[in-house]
Amino acid sequence: MDSDSPLPLSDSIQLPLINFFDQSLTPGTSKWDKVKADVRKALEDFGCFEVFFDKVSAELNKSVLEAMKELFDLPIQTKKRNVSSKPFHGYLCLNLYESLAIDDPNVAEKVNDFTQQLWPDHGNKRIREVLHEFSEKLKEMDVMVRRMILESFGIEKYIEQHLDSTNYLFRMIKYAAPSPDEEVEETKLGLRSHTDKNFITILHQYQVDGLEIKTKDEKWIKVKPTEHSFIILVGDSMCPILNGRLSSPYHRVLIPAKKTRYTTVLFSVPKAEAIIDSPEELIDEEHPRVFRPFKFSDFRDFFNTEAGGTAESALHSFCAL
Ligand SMILES: O=C(O)CCC(=O)C(=O)O
Ligand SMILES: [Fe+2]
């Protein structure tokens, strides 16, 4: 795991901001190709970017925040009923960090299972519908981004197979305010520096900033998305698919004093049995193979070990050639 030792903090660098006005964004159009080129450039430079996506309305964002507050206000014993058969896919709580998770939130019955775990008598229809609608919209964004990535590297013929190899995980996170009653103005580490292990991450923070991204030249930049934008990040599993042409950015969360921070995250995650490999189109003399092929569950098992959890890069320790 990368350290959280002090690095220069740059206020002058900003993440690229890309408009995904969905009505006019259809594959094959010139608009699509322009946005695709911007996405590729942003991902090559930073491994992430900020995006405006007009399909998620301000009202839907507000309903999700209200749903989250209601969920986190439940008694801890209730929240602990949010369990999953997959490792680290249920309720988590560590210091200031607390999170609830839904497997495959794009499937209505799965969201139903989640709300039934918490409210066995009535299943909370309102919250179930809000979370399902939100996840479906984020899934559309994820599919657009991955289609653009594969097209821009000339491997679009694998898109259906690639999308079929994916599950989704939706996580709602609460970072409790550091020193809520004290006078001290101290930020606290909410989430240590890490790279995500999945394909693509779509993150939304509600009003309180805190996300920081490490640039290639080792500077932390504070991300300040608007109320209506999302942050898209490349995860480790995308890197071998592109034979190392993109890298997953290190990121962390610092929570400002006296402020409770809420975020939502949609992860597109390879299915356990998915084989992560570089297609032959991206391997040649100039671009020799960077990673050996692997089964995603083997990588997942590795990063859940002590060695994987403490490695500078679990991906490189696991499969770099
Ligand atoms: O809450 C955030 O802003 C970041 C969350 C994150 O990086 C993660 O869950 O992997
Ligand atoms: Fe992350």
Side-chain angles (χ1 to χ4, degrees):
M1 185 72 60
D2 181 51
S3 81
D4 289 299
S5 55
L7 286 176
L9 192 62
S10 173
D11 273 336
S12 55
I13 310 172
Q14 280 192 343
L15 282 192
L17 172 60
I18 301 179
N19 281 323
F20 267 34
F21 291 133
D22 182 61
Q23 313 312 347
S24 58
L25 205 52
T26 316
T29 59
S30 56
K31 171 85 188 177
W32 171 273
D33 288 342
K34 160 83 180 70
V35 174
K36 182 170 84 184
D38 291 346
V39 165
R40 174 168 169 167
K41 172 88 175 76
L43 293 181
E44 283 172 340
D45 291 348
F46 293 95
C48 57
F49 61 93
E50 181 180 345
V51 65
F52 272 135
F53 186 62
D54 59 346
K55 273 203 167 181
V56 178
S57 65
E59 202 188 335
L60 181 56
N61 266 331
K62 189 164 162 263
S63 304
V64 172
L65 179 61
E66 279 161 12
M68 269 200 286
K69 288 185 173 161
E70 212 172 312
L71 281 158
F72 284 111
D73 280 346
L74 291 169
I76 183 131
Q77 287 316 325
T78 307
K79 289 183 278 194
K80 281 186 174 169
R81 293 206 293 260
N82 171 215
V83 289
S84 165
S85 54
K86 297 182 190 166
F88 301 105
H89 276 222
Y91 176 68
L92 300 173
C93 185
L94 184 69
N95 304 325
L96 303 173
Y97 172 99
E98 194 184 357
S99 86
L100 291 153
I102 312 178
D103 270 331
D104 297 320
N106 50 310
V107 179
E109 297 81 65
K110 293 294 194 88
V111 187
N112 191 21
D113 292 347
F114 168 78
T115 51
Q116 286 290 341
Q117 281 174 335
L118 301 178
W119 292 282
D121 47 340
H122 62 85
N124 204 325
K125 183 164 181 286
R126 182 177 39 84
I127 287 192
R128 184 173 78 223
E129 287 179 354
V130 164
L131 297 181
H132 181 234
E133 186 188 346
F134 186 62
S135 306
E136 275 196 311
K137 303 236 151 102
L138 297 189
K139 181 191 162 185
E140 279 182 47
M141 200 182 336
D142 167 80
V143 169
M144 284 199 321
V145 171
R146 287 194 284 152
R147 192 177 290 282
M148 285 181 186
I149 295 175
L150 265 63
E151 274 187 20
S152 86
F153 287 98
I155 52 168
E156 63 272 18
K157 76 174 195 207
Y158 298 106
I159 187 72
E160 294 311 324
Q161 180 190 331
H162 171 67
L163 295 176
D164 278 353
S165 72
T166 311
N167 286 133
Y168 287 93
L169 173 70
F170 180 64
R171 207 168 257 301
M172 292 165 274
I173 311 176
K174 176 183 178 183
Y175 300 90
S179 33
D181 309 314
E182 295 165 30
E183 286 307 304
V184 283
E185 292 290 336
E186 213 185 306
T187 53
K188 285 262 162 64
L189 189 66
L191 195 59
R192 63 193 287 207
S193 171
H194 65 285
T195 57
D196 292 344
K197 305 295 177 276
N198 49 301
F199 286 134
I200 291 290
T201 301
I202 302 179
L203 204 142
H204 186 70
Q205 64 181 25
Y206 293 81
Q207 290 132 15
V208 179
D209 290 341
L211 179 66
E212 296 187 357
I213 310 257
K214 203 201 263 185
T215 59
K216 285 183 182 167
D217 59 351
E218 306 262 305
K219 290 192 179 88
W220 284 110
I221 50 175
K222 281 183 195 292
V223 183
K224 293 182 182 292
T226 72
E227 238 179 277
H228 306 294
S229 56
F230 294 82
I231 304 295
I232 309 252
L233 299 106
V234 166
D236 286 348
S237 296
M238 203 67 199
C239 308
I241 306 272
L242 302 170
N243 197 24
R245 282 168 175 78
L246 295 181
S247 307
S248 46
Y250 282 94
H251 53 287
R252 67 180 182 185
V253 174
L254 289 173
I255 336 162
K258 298 185 205 156
K259 290 205 172 143
T260 298
R261 178 170 184 269
Y262 292 92
T263 48
T264 52
V265 192
L266 184 79
F267 300 98
S268 46
V269 185
K271 288 182 179 161
E273 68 280 9
I275 302 296
I276 310 291
D277 194 7
S278 314
E280 59 188 22
E281 288 83 346
L282 297 183
I283 303 172
D284 54 33
E285 252 175 51
E286 223 182 294
H287 304 94
R289 178 183 274 286
V290 181
F291 301 101
R292 68 172 170 81
F294 60 89
K295 191 161 84 170
F296 181 70
S297 58
D298 292 338
F299 176 43
R300 186 193 62 196
D301 293 346
F302 172 71
F303 71 70
N304 287 331
T305 63
E306 167 88 32
T310 51
E312 168 80 25
S313 160
L315 178 73
H316 284 82
S317 306
F318 181 68
C319 64
L321 290 168

